[in-house]
Amino acid sequence: MKITPAQAKGRGARSNHSGRYEREQRDAFDDGWDPADDQPQPLRTEVAKETARRIITRNQSPDLPFDRSLNPYRGCEHGCSYCFARPTHAYLGLSPGLDFETKLTVKPDAAAQLRRELSAKNYRCRPIAIGTNTDPYQPIERAHGVMREVLETLQAFDHPVTIVTKGALVLRDLDLLEAMARRGLVRVALSVTTLDRRLARAMEPRAAAPARRLDAVRALSEAGVPTGVMMAPIIPGLTDHEIEAVLKAAGEAGASWADYVTLRLPLEVTTLFQEWLAAAYPDRAKRVMKLVRDTQGGRDYDPAWCRRQRGSGPISHLIAQRFEAARRRAGLKEKSLEGLRTDLFHAPAAPSAQMSFGFGRTRRRRLPRAL
């Protein structure tokens, strides 16, 4: 469903079409009956609660460096116009468009469920990735604090974790991250797609400004937390000219490694991104989409394993060569999970249900008979 500019103000998507599983599609139109002074208001963020049956999601994807992940939220208020996770909102009967960034779901019992799953006798420790589908440090985390509770649980179990975020709110948890880093249990990546504040504001309307993300990289690195920068995604014709500048800034901020992903436009994302591109950058929309298709075998998206992340063809190869050269000049390493420890993992003792009041256990004694 098309949305008026007033309703979409401050958001990434420009429409709210029904999900692909819905039987009906709705189209808004002006019937001339609305009073002139009754204009639609900007959409507000709505948050629903979900009780998760399982909190750890597993995958067997051969092109991913992790086999398990965790998401404290569904949907993401950052509203990135290119977000490849948008189609997951269709599973909830909602639109991958504006619903994805305005109708969110929080999992308030995520930490408790995580404790139960980590305590299972058959659990085998491997790093858990957070931030793979939606951002754990999106704005609503300030009110709900689910990510902090999850980190506290992982710390209690000495469980390794990797975090990817666009949120400067990650610095709120610097005390936990610093303590976990000393034990080799955490790695953090800030996603920096552009240094252009205007472009970032249009493309990622509610994410932290690029300078604030780099400030977070600096603060984390200075605290001893292994920190890198993800340029994800690189958009040919729109942000690829910034590869060298982004990596240079990352190195100067103290990042230790860098990685990237080229633009992915699965399912509904291709329509949503093209709508945004036509509205925000009409002068280059056709050229950008031509270059994107050149990296995707002539299509909007190539879902094949090991090609979906980096694309294929001459333009993709050129991006890879430039990124590698810029990474080396900036003194940055390649992303790696090496160094994250799994040998420290343990299940902490469950707290006693009865308070001892400090007296400890007592033994019953038979009193002597009176003389």
Side-chain angles (χ1 to χ4, degrees), residues 264-296:
R264 298 169 56 186
L265 298 175
L267 301 171
E268 294 94 342
V269 184
T270 184
T271 299
L272 293 166
F273 179 76
Q274 290 185 66
E275 288 176 348
W276 171 84
L277 187 62
Y281 293 92
D283 58 325
R284 67 182 82 177
K286 289 184 178 180
R287 173 171 171 74
V288 169
M289 286 309 302
K290 178 185 182 303
L291 294 173
V292 168
R293 294 181 182 113
D294 286 344
T295 69
Q296 302 292 317

Side-chain angles (χ1 to χ4, degrees), residues 31-88:
D31 59 6
W33 285 95
D34 289 335
D37 59 347
D38 186 17
Q39 295 298 320
Q41 298 299 310
L43 296 175
R44 296 183 178 275
T45 300
E46 302 174 13
V47 183
K49 294 182 179 180
E50 173 187 351
T51 300
R53 294 183 179 180
R54 296 193 66 83
I55 198 65
I56 299 177
T57 301
R58 299 177 186 269
N59 75 83
Q60 297 179 343
S61 302
D63 57 351
L64 295 179
F66 57 87
D67 68 354
R68 64 201 68 184
S69 59
L70 184 156
N71 289 287
Y73 302 99
R74 292 182 188 267
C76 186
E77 198 174 7
H78 282 163
C80 301
S81 58
Y82 52 72
C83 182
F84 71 88
R86 284 181 177 273
T88 61

Side-chain angles (χ1 to χ4, degrees), residues 65-258:
F66 57 87
D67 68 354
R68 64 201 68 184
S69 59
L70 184 156
N71 289 287
Y73 302 99
R74 292 182 188 267
C76 186
E77 198 174 7
H78 282 163
C80 301
S81 58
Y82 52 72
C83 182
F84 71 88
R86 284 181 177 273
T88 61
H89 240 44
Y91 300 139
L92 306 178
L94 298 172
S95 171
L98 284 165
D99 281 352
F100 179 79
E101 50 193 290
T102 61
K103 295 184 178 180
L104 313 179
T105 300
V106 59
K107 303 173 185 178
D109 64 337
Q113 180 59 38
L114 177 62
R115 175 177 284 271
R116 285 191 288 271
E117 293 180 32
L118 297 184
S119 297
K121 293 183 178 179
N122 63 345
Y123 182 79
R124 297 294 179 267
C125 180
R126 293 284 301 275
I128 290 178
I130 304 181
T132 59
N133 202 46
T134 59
D135 201 310
Y137 288 107
Q138 59 180 289
I140 61 172
E141 167 65 13
R142 292 185 183 276
H144 295 277
V146 178
M147 180 58 181
R148 183 167 179 91
E149 293 178 354
V150 166
L151 278 180
E152 289 172 339
T153 301
L154 293 171
Q155 183 186 38
F157 281 78
D158 279 330
H159 195 294
V161 61
T162 64
I163 301 168
V164 178
T165 182
K166 289 183 174 71
L169 182 59
V170 65
L171 294 181
R172 179 203 62 188
D173 296 335
L174 186 57
D175 57 329
L176 296 175
L177 297 172
E178 187 177 4
M180 295 178 75
R182 286 197 295 267
R183 297 177 65 79
L185 297 173
V186 65
R187 288 199 173 184
V188 179
L190 272 293
S191 176
V192 181
T193 52
T194 176
L195 300 179
D196 184 337
R197 185 182 179 89
R198 177 177 173 273
L199 172 57
R201 182 67 179 271
M203 189 167 61
E204 308 154 342
R206 299 203 174 194
R212 292 190 62 202
R213 297 181 218 177
L214 291 171
D215 288 342
V217 171
R218 183 175 293 104
L220 289 164
S221 299
E222 290 176 352
V225 179
T227 307
V229 163
M230 287 287 295
M231 195 171 178
I234 292 176
I235 304 176
L238 190 62
T239 66
D240 59 325
H241 68 283
E242 294 190 73
I243 291 175
E244 291 78 10
V246 168
L247 295 189
K248 182 176 184 292
E252 292 173 349
S256 58
W257 55 268

